[in-house]
Amino acid sequence: MEIITSNQNSRVKIWTSLQTAKGREQSGSYLLDGWHLVQEALNQAAPIQAIIATEAQMSAHLIDVPQGVPAFQVTEEVARHIAKTNNPQGIFAQTSLPNNSFDPKYIHSGSWLLLDEIQDPGNAGTLIRTADAAGFEGVALSAGSADPFNPKVVRAMQGSQFHLKVVKDVDLAAWIDALEENDYDVFGTTLSATSVDYKTIVPEKNFALILGNEGQGMKAELQAKTTANLHINFPGKAESLNVAVAGGILMFALN
């Protein structure tokens, strides 16, 4: 096992670059930070390129790492440098990005969540985690949405990316057309005069749910293509809900 003590080590530079979209794209990988996420990746047989850990974390968890997975011990200082935080847990995994080439015309079963420019990493990760909990098949994020493998999104997903399909930079208009061609209901979410109370909807077949941007909502051209657009009635005085909260209500109600 190689022991790394310098932030200038070539491997450390690669691991640190995974904090950026460019670094992830160049390496074809992203970083898991903390034993819970690393363990989930191991449990799901995710393609792990390296385990990186401090001496204490390596002693605690190396026994759980399958033979053949490269393991690197780093100092506390190097761990902080990789994580870009002052108090990292001290164990990471570099894991391969999933194949993002996914054609919706091959989707014939299972519920899907479609995110239209959901930009806040916490919201995006929470929605993916909630879709996992609600039994969805996958989540497709439009261009302009948060990168699902951004470290903040990865923390919020809590390993759900290993349980369902996560596809990014999709053309949602094309996805709606393909899903409806496959006999899917596609529900949007708006507060327009033509939207209907979600409680009146009981999907009779496979469906997809679209959630729109935190500030602007769903694009008008997408609203025009849906089977129906839904809203949530508020008995209280709040004008709106956080998109992750609204998405949770709708996903569990519809699925």
Side-chain angles (χ1 to χ4, degrees), residues 29 37 50 54 157 194 222 234:
S29 63
L37 296 181
T54 61
M157 288 192 294
T194 57
L222 299 180
F234 302 155

Side-chain angles (χ1 to χ4, degrees), residues 103-105 170-180 222 225:
D103 193 329
K105 72 181 181 182
V170 306
D171 179 345
L172 287 186
W175 271 63
I176 294 171
D177 289 342
L179 290 171
E180 291 183 336
L222 299 180
K225 296 172 74 69

Side-chain angles (χ1 to χ4, degrees), residues 148-199:
F149 302 103
N150 170 307
K152 292 181 180 178
V153 181
V154 172
R155 283 195 292 272
M157 288 192 294
Q158 285 292 297
S160 284
Q161 72 270 29
F162 301 121
H163 307 154
L164 42 61
K165 297 179 181 68
V166 178
V167 191
K168 66 176 187 174
D169 296 330
V170 306
D171 179 345
L172 287 186
W175 271 63
I176 294 171
D177 289 342
L179 290 171
E180 291 183 336
E181 181 69 22
N182 287 349
D183 201 31
Y184 266 65
D185 285 329
V186 179
F187 299 116
T189 48
T190 74
L191 293 175
S192 68
T194 57
S195 64
V196 298
D197 185 340
Y198 80 95
K199 292 180 180 178

Side-chain angles (χ1 to χ4, degrees), residues 6-255:
S6 171
N7 291 340
Q8 300 307 311
N9 180 280
S10 60
R11 294 186 187 277
V12 173
K13 290 181 178 180
I14 292 173
W15 297 328
T16 304
S17 77
L18 301 182
Q19 299 286 342
T20 69
K22 181 179 179 181
R24 293 189 293 273
E25 182 179 347
Q26 288 179 340
S27 70
S29 63
Y30 69 104
L31 197 67
L32 302 172
D33 183 349
W35 174 242
H36 170 71
L37 296 181
V38 173
Q39 184 180 42
E40 193 61 30
L42 294 172
N43 289 343
Q44 299 300 321
I48 294 177
Q49 299 178 18
I51 297 291
I52 308 109
T54 61
E55 182 178 7
Q57 289 292 318
M58 195 67 79
S59 296
H61 299 299
L62 184 59
I63 192 173
D64 299 308
V65 177
Q67 288 188 351
V69 176
F72 301 87
Q73 184 174 306
V74 298
T75 62
E76 299 281 353
E77 180 186 352
V78 171
R80 286 191 293 270
H81 183 73
I82 293 169
K84 299 298 183 186
T85 61
N86 290 328
N87 297 297
Q89 290 187 33
I91 185 166
F92 313 88
Q94 180 186 6
T95 186
S96 301
L97 289 169
N99 185 347
N100 203 53
S101 57
F102 192 87
D103 193 329
K105 72 181 181 182
Y106 297 113
I107 297 175
H108 295 282
S109 63
S111 304
W112 276 77
L113 178 66
L114 312 181
L115 302 183
D116 179 20
E117 296 193 10
I118 299 297
Q119 297 176 338
D120 180 84
N123 285 337
T126 299
L127 284 164
I128 293 169
R129 183 180 180 185
T130 306
D132 175 21
F136 276 54
E137 182 72 17
V139 181
L141 300 91
S142 73
S145 293
D147 182 344
F149 302 103
N150 170 307
K152 292 181 180 178
V153 181
V154 172
R155 283 195 292 272
M157 288 192 294
Q158 285 292 297
S160 284
Q161 72 270 29
F162 301 121
H163 307 154
L164 42 61
K165 297 179 181 68
V166 178
V167 191
K168 66 176 187 174
D169 296 330
V170 306
D171 179 345
L172 287 186
W175 271 63
I176 294 171
D177 289 342
L179 290 171
E180 291 183 336
E181 181 69 22
N182 287 349
D183 201 31
Y184 266 65
D185 285 329
V186 179
F187 299 116
T189 48
T190 74
L191 293 175
S192 68
T194 57
S195 64
V196 298
D197 185 340
Y198 80 95
K199 292 180 180 178
T200 67
I201 297 294
V202 179
E204 296 181 358
K205 50 191 174 183
N206 296 314
F207 74 91
L209 173 68
I210 307 175
L211 297 171
N213 173 267
E214 290 91 342
Q216 304 300 319
M218 274 181 64
K219 293 185 182 66
E221 58 266 33
L222 299 180
Q223 295 180 33
K225 296 172 74 69
T226 59
T227 307
N229 292 312
L230 313 181
H231 66 253
I232 299 171
N233 286 324
F234 302 155
K237 296 181 180 180
E239 294 182 356
S240 63
L241 286 174
N242 170 275
V243 67
V245 174
I249 292 170
L250 294 171
M251 281 187 272
F252 277 95
L254 296 172
N255 211 34

